[in-house]
Amino acid sequence: QVQLVESGGGLVEPGGSLRLSCAASERIASIVDMAWYRQALGKQRELVASITSGDSTNYTDSVKGRFTISRDNAGNTVYLQMNGLKPEDTAVYYCNINSLIYRGPYLPPDRRHYWGQGTQVTVSS
């Protein structure tokens, strides 16, 4: 059973930086994309940033210019560099990895979705 292990969360003052990491416990084949979500207290989980296997990135408007998503060359670790943190960035951050394995013309593709356990990010003075 593949597990995603997150690290890097914590308490930081407004304007500060944190770098989140998410590593898979074993190699995941045929990764389609990797992403970071967050869920603030009393709110729905939202997509923060995503990166495809071709390194195309996408960000929610509120973090553009402040956050950067990246992955390592092996493709099994995803990072989120967060600069210029604001109190409204406070949330539990979850990493997500999605894979798709083509199984031929007569079978549906094998789609798998992996989630981390979440890491708390608190921005406060």
Side-chain angles (χ1 to χ4, degrees):
Q1 180 96 11
V2 176
Q3 293 185 332
L4 302 186
V5 180
E6 299 161 355
S7 60
L11 173 65
V12 64
E13 292 186 348
S17 298
L18 285 174
R19 188 184 192 225
L20 304 183
S21 299
C22 172
S25 59
E26 57 188 81
R27 183 180 177 276
I28 298 174
S30 302
I31 291 175
V32 176
D33 57 28
M34 309 165 89
W36 287 94
Y37 287 74
R38 66 185 179 188
Q39 187 167 17
L41 197 62
K43 295 188 177 181
Q44 289 189 331
R45 188 174 297 190
E46 66 168 346
L47 176 64
V48 176
S50 64
I51 184 167
T52 69
S53 58
D55 288 328
S56 293
T57 58
N58 183 56
Y59 299 90
T60 191
D61 286 346
S62 62
V63 307
K64 284 180 181 177
R66 299 189 297 122
F67 290 11
T68 302
I69 189 171
S70 62
R71 62 188 185 91
D72 68 358
N73 288 335
N76 281 260
T77 302
V78 60
Y79 306 96
L80 186 67
Q81 178 66 44
M82 304 185 293
N83 299 327
L85 282 161
K86 305 176 181 179
E88 50 264 43
D89 295 318
T90 295
V92 178
Y93 284 71
Y94 298 89
C95 66
N96 163 248
I97 297 178
N98 303 304
S99 67
L100 189 150
I101 299 174
Y102 180 67
R103 299 191 295 174
Y106 305 109
L107 291 173
D110 182 359
R111 301 176 185 270
R112 301 195 180 191
H113 309 280
Y114 303 95
W115 289 90
Q117 80 285 357
T119 186
Q120 177 70 46
V121 171
T122 302
V123 185
S124 175
S125 56

